Amino acid sequence: MPMILDSPPLSPSQSSPFPLLGRHENHISDVIIVGAGILGCSLAITLGRQGRSVTLLEKSLKEPDRIVGELLQPGGVAALEKLGIRGCLEDIDAVVVRGYEVIYYGEGVQIPYPHRANGIVEDKRPEGRSFHHGRFIRRLREAAMKEENINVVESTATGTVKSEYTGHILGVECVTKGRLDVYFADLTVIADGYASKFRKDYLPHAPISRSKFWGLELIDTDLPRSQHGHVILGDGAPVLLYQIGTHETRALVDIPDGLDSASSARGGVKSHLREVVLPSLPKSVQPSFEKALDEGRLRSMPNSFLPASTNRVPGLVVLGDAMNMRHPLTGGGMTVAFNDVVLLRELLSPENVPNLADSKLVLQQMRVFHWRRKNLTAVINILAQALYDLFAANDPQLKRLQHGCIRYFQQGGACIDGPIGLLAGIIRRPFILFYHFFSVALLSIWILITKSTLLGLPGAILESVAIFAKACVVLGPVVWAEVWG
């Protein structure tokens, strides 16, 4: 990290140290954003429309090709509407998503998005969208390039520029077409994704990954329920199926680290997919899955958890997956990102922060951001980790909780409207999450006890205690990370 000797820090009333004359020519702007992905593009557009000059740096402007970030929940669609960029969902062959179908050992449960959320009854059920990730990113970048206050540059950020006198981050070093370059700004935003190269220098936590999603693209698949995401549960870890285009369906198979049936000694991941996963899929999906396995390209992504941290470095903000991640099982990442931008639009607006060079005020607003975002992000983060533990159940107590969860969904009504409303990002009340989670735990215990004989009742009571304790163990660490992270 290069150090630059400069003048003492500005008072809030002083203007930016960078003169207006020649700002663009000298690579100077109000904001630098590293990473033209989901959060980077939407934040650049939002700040640019507020009159801020923005430099958006991206190492490659080619259309990305990823196997996650392909399903946007209704709460994310609503955020796009608020930001005025919902049009980016058009002309990418996006598919309407109306809810989920959970298939438990061949038994299906439909879970549509709810009419009622937060006490309000909508005229129609909310909808999500699923699509090819790269096409959506392309549309976001095109929208950013049309904004007069945004300069999009294909350049690889290699480090930050720090003031030796004040400790402020003044900008970034980068490599543009093989040439060393430097960009300066009042505020530098790091949004370089799950594999961030800057995270370790500025945040106290490192991502934790226990599994990977292995992805295939299926062609002309006959899904059990159209316009729904599918979660397939059985003896192994969960499998996700959702349509991403008129003819394409994404299959994501969770494979925990160290899984014996996916080891090289047993034939590797492809052998696991063929011998273990394929027979567990709905009959209508098996032919296209097998064909994709024979002909398609198999790719993987780590499933990571990273609790959010408060930004504390003057002149720098870390956002998006670089700052906060959850298991992608529930498809909540983009919903979190777009809603973060909605909140930042208010907190960093020119009315609230007239001068982004006032780093004390910016950091104060980022502390407010850290806590205000939790009504939504804590719900999505906790739900993602808890559901993964239940759906990838690998011990008797978790299997009991998994069974209780499915039976809970089968009750219908509030037993599905609440959980799916939380997952969709349209119910933002953490208490509702705790209520439904422990209702599942109590139902699991009730099922166990009512099926026990009189002689088996003492053992069932002991196991009930273990089930409730396991529910606390599943939820407790994630809640702790969200509150104290």
Side-chain angles (χ1 to χ4, degrees), residues 341-417:
V341 175
V342 170
L343 182 54
L344 288 168
R345 180 181 61 175
E346 172 198 340
L347 295 177
L348 296 183
S349 68
E351 292 76 22
N352 289 320
V353 184
N355 180 9
L356 291 174
D358 184 356
S359 60
K360 183 177 180 180
L361 179 56
V362 170
L363 289 178
Q364 177 182 314
Q365 292 298 86
M366 292 311 299
R367 283 192 292 272
V368 175
F369 167 77
H370 177 78
W371 292 105
R372 278 185 57 182
R373 71 191 290 269
K374 286 188 180 294
N375 275 344
L376 173 67
T377 59
V379 165
I380 291 179
N381 293 345
I382 293 168
L383 185 62
Q385 298 306 120
L387 276 182
Y388 176 70
D389 281 344
L390 264 59
F391 287 175
N394 57 4
D395 68 34
Q397 288 77 41
L398 285 174
K399 276 293 184 185
R400 294 280 189 190
L401 287 167
Q402 183 190 77
H403 178 74
C405 183
I406 300 303
R407 296 294 171 253
Y408 191 75
F409 291 158
Q410 289 175 336
Q411 307 300 310
C415 295
I416 57 173
D417 285 352

